[in-house]
Amino acid sequence: MKKYIYTLTALAALAVSACQNLDREFVTTIGQKEIEQSFGNVQALLNAVYADIPDGTVYIGGAAMMASATDEAEFTAETNPIQSFNTGSWNAVNNPDLVWGTYYRSIRKVNQFLVSTGKINLDPWKLDPSASAQQVYQTNLAAIKRWTYEARFLRAYYYFELVKRYGGVPLINKALSLDEDLSKIQRNSLSECLQFITAECDSAAAQLPLNTSTLPYVAATDLGRVTKLTALSLKSRVLLYAASDLFNTPSWAGGYGKPELISLPAGDRVARWKAASDAAKAVIDAAALPTLGAYKSLFNTFNNGEIIFTRSNAASNTFEKNNSPIGFSLGQSGNTPSQDLVDAYDVKVNATTAAKFDWNNPAMAADPYANRDPRLGFTIAVNNTPFGTPARNVQLWTGGLDARPIPFASKTGYYLRKYQIESLNLINGNTGVHSWILFRYPEIYLNYAEALNEWSPGNADIKAYYDRVRNRTGVAMPLLPAGLSQADVREKIRNEKRVEFAFEDHRFWDVRRWMQAPTYFNAPLRGVDITRNADATFTYKPVTVENRVFTPKMYLYPIPQTDINIAGGLAQNPLW
């Protein structure tokens, strides 16, 4: 009998107990038929599809976050592949985020899994007339049905991860053999891809349960699993991208011969923005809305009413080691926030008024962290503030314990606090669970506000849902002022997305879909130079850390050259 090797990674979300080890693996050499007939083994095949959801905390080179390829941050070690994005040295052969093959392997797993669900042998329960066996049989039937829609959602999610990088991609939605002839495969249009993804979201949302229970919003058995809210949230994101400038403005591509691969057909932009706002409102209307609580602790849990879908990892301290200040034991600096990001956090003038930070304002420049949006302190470790265990103040002034000229000290004058479990003592080997959140309610609120502002400016819901994010517990920043123009509201929403979702892998894509990359990514990245004065006060001066490169071709990734060599029908993206 022909043998197959399957690596089956079990996530706690799909295990019998929600507390099982997230990284548990086993390898079996039993035959494919035996695997597909086993209820438990087919479930494990789905677990392996879930395991392919990326962990953005250690995304590039095992340490760099995508934030370090944006104006949010600089990765300290210049040898990390993420730096290719910033220097413009990436191409169809050398791409630090080379996920084309990765996601197609995940899609292939789904296609194989969907075939396997029809082969599971339930006869031991079906043919047993006892009430207990019949109950197990019905439970297993329901589980298989749910798995099918979870898998279809995951396939749609992986397709969108491809689409936002490459535009239209080949839609392969049947199980192919390993020796399949791929030489004639071609890319589907962007429109076909987006229609497929949203249709799969609709199907999943219609069949999957809402993630509500006696626990706040998330059933113990649903932690980390796809639900109706997850499917609706992906649809919200997809339709927001579909309405945005990048997928509606092919002129950047310089007369590219296949515009259908990178742009939607000319059409009613108002209708596209309305579809995006309707999709976000569907999430909002699907369940009672949670209270948005403490900001910093949100990123060190996977059971919070604000979270719609998350990847939760096994307990570790890798993130803390990667990103703690250089002067702390085992700290490696890692992803260090930029001055550009710090400047985006508003100054709270009073309970009803916020102002942009301005280096030309002497009072602000003298004390640049006073009266700032609290999310600044929750996200970024600034000079002379407590950090870590055992705690001490971060010394970011020149000559300080965490600053230049120490090798690998932060170049920006900041360290990352978000996601850090600061109670961990790294010397003692303490570990903790980190979550990588894929969808949470504030994204939906701001998606709704953004889309509404584009087709229905002045709509009262714009302020209502923008304010929900600003008014969260522990933040309580001044709300959206009345009387702003559509353009002013647009900039308010965009900046709110910037600070609310810093280091959550939104900025890289948002700036592209807004077609603002030449402004933000083709400009010098700034940090701050800090001098400690004789009277123990500090002087702060913004400085250039690195000159960054962005050209129009970088709006989309190049199709990997190796795949074009194999499948000659794959058209390359423009300007590459």
Side-chain angles (χ1 to χ4, degrees), residues 488-562:
D488 287 341
V489 171
R490 180 185 297 123
E491 288 310 308
K492 287 282 189 183
I493 293 169
R494 289 179 177 182
N495 196 70
E496 192 63 20
K497 285 199 167 189
R498 182 175 191 178
V499 300
E500 174 70 18
F501 299 107
F503 293 91
E504 295 182 52
D505 194 18
H506 285 265
R507 183 71 176 169
F508 189 94
W509 311 107
D510 281 343
V511 170
R512 282 171 164 78
R513 69 180 177 87
W514 295 327
M515 297 193 75
Q516 293 185 314
T519 299
Y520 292 107
F521 296 167
N522 195 44
L525 186 81
R526 296 180 305 142
V528 66
D529 183 73
I530 307 171
T531 301
R532 190 172 189 269
N533 303 318
D535 61 356
T537 61
F538 300 96
T539 299
Y540 299 88
K541 178 185 177 183
V543 295
T544 294
V545 171
E546 179 178 81
N547 291 315
R548 295 283 181 86
V549 174
F550 185 93
T551 60
K553 67 181 180 180
M554 298 174 187
Y555 275 120
L556 293 175
Y557 286 8
I559 307 299
Q561 190 60 47
T562 52

Side-chain angles (χ1 to χ4, degrees), residues 39-60:
F39 182 88
N41 284 342
V42 172
Q43 181 184 35
L45 293 176
L46 178 60
N47 296 345
V49 180
Y50 269 96
D52 289 344
I53 296 171
D55 178 5
T57 63
V58 290
Y59 189 64
I60 302 290

Side-chain angles (χ1 to χ4, degrees), residues 276-574:
S277 68
D278 288 348
K281 193 62 162 56
V283 185
I284 291 168
D285 291 343
L289 298 178
T291 298
L292 303 184
Y295 186 79
K296 186 176 186 303
S297 61
L298 172 68
F299 304 98
N300 302 130
T301 182
F302 54 88
N303 185 20
N304 183 295
E306 179 177 335
I307 298 173
I308 295 173
F309 187 53
T310 187
R311 173 193 166 114
S312 184
N313 299 315
S316 75
N317 55 26
T318 300
F319 187 82
E320 284 71 25
K321 290 178 181 177
N322 284 345
N323 295 285
S324 289
I326 198 68
F328 285 70
S329 297
L330 304 181
Q332 299 172 21
S333 294
N335 302 276
T336 56
S338 70
Q339 188 63 54
D340 305 272
L341 175 60
V342 172
D343 286 354
Y345 291 86
D346 285 343
V347 177
K348 186 174 183 179
V349 178
N350 54 47
T352 60
T353 306
K356 285 183 174 291
F357 180 83
D358 184 1
W359 282 103
N360 293 318
N361 181 315
M364 292 184 184
D367 193 1
Y369 313 124
N371 304 316
R372 301 297 289 274
D373 183 330
R375 288 171 294 186
L376 171 58
F378 298 147
T379 303
I380 299 169
V382 305
N383 180 52
N384 206 34
T385 56
F387 184 90
T389 300
R392 68 163 172 82
N393 283 10
V394 179
Q395 298 184 12
L396 278 157
W397 61 86
T398 300
L401 294 176
D402 308 296
R404 294 167 295 183
I406 297 172
F408 299 107
S410 170
K411 301 173 187 176
T412 65
Y414 300 101
Y415 287 102
L416 180 59
R417 191 184 297 273
K418 194 172 187 177
Y419 301 100
Q420 297 257 20
I421 305 177
E422 293 183 50
S423 61
L424 301 185
N425 186 313
L426 300 183
I427 291 297
N428 292 343
N430 296 163
T431 61
V433 173
H434 301 78
S435 289
W436 178 250
I437 299 172
L438 282 300
F439 298 100
R440 57 187 182 96
Y441 271 99
E443 178 191 350
I444 305 304
Y445 298 161
L446 293 177
N447 286 355
Y448 184 45
E450 179 183 350
L452 270 182
N453 186 58
E454 295 302 329
W455 77 271
S456 182
N459 190 304
D461 274 359
I462 297 170
K463 174 175 170 58
Y465 286 93
Y466 175 93
D467 288 353
R468 276 182 176 268
V469 180
R470 298 275 285 185
N471 201 31
R472 68 180 301 138
T473 302
V475 173
M477 285 296 288
L479 308 180
L480 187 68
L484 296 180
S485 69
Q486 180 188 30
D488 287 341
V489 171
R490 180 185 297 123
E491 288 310 308
K492 287 282 189 183
I493 293 169
R494 289 179 177 182
N495 196 70
E496 192 63 20
K497 285 199 167 189
R498 182 175 191 178
V499 300
E500 174 70 18
F501 299 107
F503 293 91
E504 295 182 52
D505 194 18
H506 285 265
R507 183 71 176 169
F508 189 94
W509 311 107
D510 281 343
V511 170
R512 282 171 164 78
R513 69 180 177 87
W514 295 327
M515 297 193 75
Q516 293 185 314
T519 299
Y520 292 107
F521 296 167
N522 195 44
L525 186 81
R526 296 180 305 142
V528 66
D529 183 73
I530 307 171
T531 301
R532 190 172 189 269
N533 303 318
D535 61 356
T537 61
F538 300 96
T539 299
Y540 299 88
K541 178 185 177 183
V543 295
T544 294
V545 171
E546 179 178 81
N547 291 315
R548 295 283 181 86
V549 174
F550 185 93
T551 60
K553 67 181 180 180
M554 298 174 187
Y555 275 120
L556 293 175
Y557 286 8
I559 307 299
Q561 190 60 47
T562 52
D563 289 272
I564 289 179
N565 293 341
I566 294 171
L570 292 177
Q572 183 56 280
N573 269 333

